[in-house]
């Protein structure tokens, strides 16, 4: 039987021509016009839709809305297509176990991973060679634009196992940056004390991963008295709502950079050297911001769900109008590139809590309690319902090093969130069991105990 190998199934030279890296990247997109960007996106979208119509999942999704192939003639018609989210993909898995019917596997190579399962059962993720390598490239060129150099030593705290994150970040660095890569993984893969010793022993200059665990490692490095040997200059993570200053101070001045992406899509946006908003990689991703309730486009500056179409994934597993349920807003003005910019991850709409008429995002608490010497920055929210009154209340457990006042913190949160919540204090490290910060890619911040 004859079939192509991984490297025969992908035209690397064409990929680099379509999605430039390094100086070629900034040269092409520094002065590009909005019309030129749309033309690039439209050509890719037309190819993507041809592949989409061959996938049973989309045949069912679009057919249920009465949509036929001729109805979608280009990117201008994209809003005629319904959005979908993880619940639709998991329904596909349940109906067509074990992988669902949203991939078009044949005899071509397949890279198979899963999501982290942050919001439930892990979701299958499949990539063809093109989809995988463009996903890798987008991270690699972003890192390089931020300032990663071939002589850097990169320490990654992304998880491995079946989870996609750690594997594709490793591929990104190795394939597209020439930097040396240390795949330390999470705290359960490599103990925290061992991680900080790796930083010192191997001359690590750049750390990548989720900022929650990166900040915890700074405390471990301090406890181990290793900062005279650690030469970290750069952190590339997912800063979310937190102030980067706290992370940078914890790591003695290393500069922190933010970016955003999810397992289904890869990197969607990231900061540049200016660190002035996250640039959407519009040559590869089409991002819509839609109202959480109505699903209609929001105006610039207004918060909406990020709905993503991966224009490059026209091989095994197309991604067309996937609702991430992560929220952000678009920024005004033009930065160093012609791409539009977003504010970054601000919370999850499907993790939003309506508490006494106020929309509350648990991730917003991080920004309200950071940069305080009496707090570690770690917290977890418990949502509870009073059986007698049917009133919903939230208790926020916050780690304190001592000297904190629960009443004062409750007032800080009330002013910042716009609704009253209860605060209880605990010692450093005591939220770890609930948040699972040492073992999960993304710590748990909300535990719903209402039983609804």
């Amino acid at each position: 039987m004859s079939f192509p190998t991984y490297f025969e199934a992908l035209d690397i030279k064409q990929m680099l021509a379509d999605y430039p890296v390094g100086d070629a990247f900034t040269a092409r997109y520094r002065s590009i016009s909005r019309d030129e960007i749309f033309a690039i996106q439209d050509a890719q979208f037309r190819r993507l839709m041809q592949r989409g119509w061959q996938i049973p999942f989309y045949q069912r999704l679009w057919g249920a809305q009465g949509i036929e192939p001729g109805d979608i003639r280009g990117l201008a018609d994209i809003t005629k297509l319904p959005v979908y989210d993880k619940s639709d993909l998991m329904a596909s898995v349940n109906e067509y176990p074990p992988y669902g019917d949203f991939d078009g596997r044949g005899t071509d190579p397949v890279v198979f991973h899963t999501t982290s399962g942050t919001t439930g059962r892990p979701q299958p993720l499949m990539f063809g060679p093109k989809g995988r390598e463009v996903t890798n490239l987008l991270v690699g060129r972003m890192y390089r634009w931020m300032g990663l150099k071939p002589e850097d030593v990169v320490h990654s705290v992304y998880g491995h196992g079946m989870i996609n994150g750690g594997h594709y970040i490793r591929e990104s660095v190795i394939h597209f940056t020439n930097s040396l890569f240390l795949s330390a993984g999470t705290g359960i893969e490599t103990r925290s004390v061992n991680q900080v010793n790796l930083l010192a022993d191997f001359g690590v200059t750049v750390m990548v991963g989720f900022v929650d665990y990166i900040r915890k490692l700074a405390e471990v490095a301090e406890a181990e008295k290793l900062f005279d040997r650690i030469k970290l200059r750069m952190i590339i993570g997912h800063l979310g709502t937190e102030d980067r200053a706290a992370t940078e101070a914890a790591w003695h001045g290393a500069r922190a950079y933010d970016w955003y992406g999810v397992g289904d899509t890869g990197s969607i946006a990231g900061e540049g050297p200016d660190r002035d908003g996250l640039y959407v990689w519009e040559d590869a991703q089409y991002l819509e911001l839609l109202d959480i309730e109505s699903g209609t486009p929001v105006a610039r500056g207004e918060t909406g769900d990020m709905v993503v179409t991966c224009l490059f994934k026209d091989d095994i597993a197309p991604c067309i109008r996937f609702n991430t349920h992560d929220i952000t807003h678009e920024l005004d003005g033009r930065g160093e590139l012609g791409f539009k910019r977003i504010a970054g991850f601000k919370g999850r709409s499907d993790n939003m809590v309506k508490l006494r008429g106020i929309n509350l995002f648990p991730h917003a608490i991080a920004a309200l309690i950071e940069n305080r010497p009496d707090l570690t920055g770690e917290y977890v929210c418990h949502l509870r319902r009073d059986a007698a009154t049917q009133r919903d209340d939230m208790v926020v457990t916050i780690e304190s090093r001592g000297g904190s006042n629960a009443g004062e913190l409750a007032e800080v949160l009330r002013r910042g969130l716009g609704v009253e919540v209860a605060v209880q204090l605990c010692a450093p490290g005591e939220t770890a069991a609930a948040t699972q910060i040492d073992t999960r890619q993304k710590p748990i911040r909300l535990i719903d105990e209402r039983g609804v």
Side-chain angles (χ1 to χ4, degrees):
M1 180 179 180
S2 178
F3 52 85
T5 65
Y6 184 92
F7 297 102
E8 292 172 309
L10 171 66
D11 186 339
I12 294 290
K13 288 185 177 180
Q14 185 61 53
M15 181 185 73
L16 290 170
D18 293 337
Y19 307 99
V21 175
D23 292 342
F25 164 62
T26 53
R28 179 179 296 182
Y29 296 119
R30 184 170 288 117
S31 59
I32 195 168
S33 70
R34 297 306 306 171
D35 287 343
E36 289 173 310
I37 290 174
F38 184 84
I40 291 171
Q41 294 177 322
D42 186 56
Q44 293 185 82
F45 180 73
R46 292 168 189 264
R47 289 194 301 269
L48 179 65
M49 284 301 299
Q50 291 177 358
R51 182 59 174 142
W53 278 113
Q54 298 171 354
I55 306 298
F57 175 82
Y58 290 112
Q59 293 171 0
R60 293 188 294 106
L61 180 69
W62 299 338
Q65 302 293 319
I67 299 171
E68 299 180 355
D71 296 335
I72 310 298
R73 299 186 179 185
L75 190 57
D77 293 329
I78 193 171
T79 56
K80 296 179 181 179
L81 297 171
V83 301
Y84 70 97
D85 60 17
K86 180 176 179 176
S87 67
D88 298 300
L89 297 177
M90 296 311 296
S92 168
V93 170
N94 292 333
E95 190 171 353
Y96 304 96
Y99 302 111
D101 66 342
F102 47 85
D103 68 88
R105 280 174 291 152
T107 59
D108 281 354
V110 178
V111 177
F112 176 63
H113 289 292
T114 67
T115 62
S116 62
T118 301
T119 57
R121 176 183 174 187
Q123 172 198 321
L125 294 173
M126 293 194 182
F127 305 87
K130 178 186 176 184
R132 184 65 172 190
E133 290 306 322
V134 175
T135 298
N136 294 337
L137 180 150
L138 293 178
V139 171
R141 82 173 184 190
M142 174 184 71
Y143 282 2
R144 288 172 63 169
W145 190 37
M146 289 173 172
L148 188 67
K149 299 177 174 59
E151 59 267 27
D152 278 315
V153 179
V154 179
H155 181 102
S156 170
V157 298
Y158 288 105
H160 294 89
M162 283 304 300
I163 297 172
N164 178 52
H167 296 281
Y168 105 86
I169 296 299
R170 174 181 55 81
E171 294 164 14
S172 300
V173 172
I174 294 172
H175 295 183
F176 296 102
T177 75
N178 293 6
S179 300
L180 195 63
F181 187 81
L182 278 63
S183 52
T186 64
I188 199 170
E189 292 173 297
T190 306
R191 292 176 60 238
S192 298
V193 68
N194 293 344
Q195 295 229 18
V196 295
N197 277 280
L198 285 173
L199 292 171
D201 292 344
F202 290 106
V204 169
T205 54
V206 178
M207 182 150 43
V208 299
F210 288 94
V211 72
D212 308 77
Y213 186 58
I214 288 175
R215 291 197 351 193
K216 176 178 178 176
L217 284 180
E219 295 197 359
V220 178
E222 291 282 11
E224 293 295 307
K225 296 180 171 55
L226 286 173
F227 268 102
D228 61 332
R229 296 176 53 212
I230 290 176
K231 309 302 180 187
L232 196 71
R233 69 175 188 86
M234 189 176 184
I235 295 165
I236 308 174
H238 308 273
L239 303 182
T241 57
E242 294 94 337
D243 179 1
R244 78 180 75 232
T247 300
E248 294 178 336
W251 281 101
H252 292 209
R255 286 172 66 84
Y257 293 80
D258 194 14
W259 70 284
Y260 171 76
V262 295
D264 301 77
T265 66
S267 176
I268 295 168
E271 289 186 322
D274 57 358
R275 301 197 300 177
D276 184 18
L278 276 63
Y279 292 81
V280 179
W281 314 129
E282 291 192 275
D283 60 335
Q285 309 277 22
Y286 184 75
L287 177 65
E288 302 170 80
L289 299 183
L290 304 184
D291 183 82
I292 295 170
E293 296 180 355
S294 69
T296 57
V298 300
R300 181 180 294 174
E302 294 183 358
T303 297
D305 270 331
M306 287 189 262
V307 175
V308 184
T309 296
C310 299
L311 300 168
F312 60 93
K313 290 182 70 174
D314 56 6
D315 50 3
I316 286 178
C319 181
I320 305 171
R321 297 203 90 197
F322 174 66
N323 190 344
T324 68
H325 288 295
D326 291 338
I327 60 168
T328 191
H329 66 269
E330 185 178 349
L331 300 179
D332 288 327
R334 181 183 178 122
E336 292 189 10
L337 298 181
F339 295 158
K340 66 183 179 183
R341 296 171 300 140
I342 58 174
F345 173 76
K346 298 176 67 177
R348 289 191 59 83
S349 62
D350 59 358
N351 206 22
M352 181 182 75
V353 177
K354 204 169 189 82
L355 199 62
R356 296 184 286 284
I358 301 296
N359 292 338
L360 187 156
F361 297 94
H363 279 87
I365 292 172
L368 300 175
I369 64 172
E370 65 187 356
N371 296 329
R372 291 181 52 138
D374 60 320
L375 305 178
T376 69
E378 286 300 312
Y379 67 97
V380 64
C381 306
H382 293 265
L383 191 62
R384 296 162 182 164
R385 176 167 293 169
D386 186 288
T389 64
Q390 292 298 295
R391 169 187 161 116
D392 289 342
D393 289 298
M394 179 177 287
V395 178
V396 183
T397 302
I398 301 174
E399 291 186 7
S400 170
R401 297 187 176 96
S404 304
N405 182 288
E408 181 263 332
L409 284 170
E411 177 61 19
V412 169
L413 297 189
R414 186 194 66 78
R415 291 197 305 267
L417 301 174
V419 65
E420 182 179 350
V421 298
V423 169
Q424 65 181 28
L425 302 175
C426 69
E430 289 189 0
T431 66
T435 63
Q436 300 177 35
I437 189 171
D438 291 313
T439 59
R440 296 178 68 92
Q441 291 266 24
K442 306 171 187 175
I444 296 169
R445 296 301 181 192
L446 175 66
I447 298 174
D448 192 338
E449 299 175 351
R450 296 174 299 174
V452 296

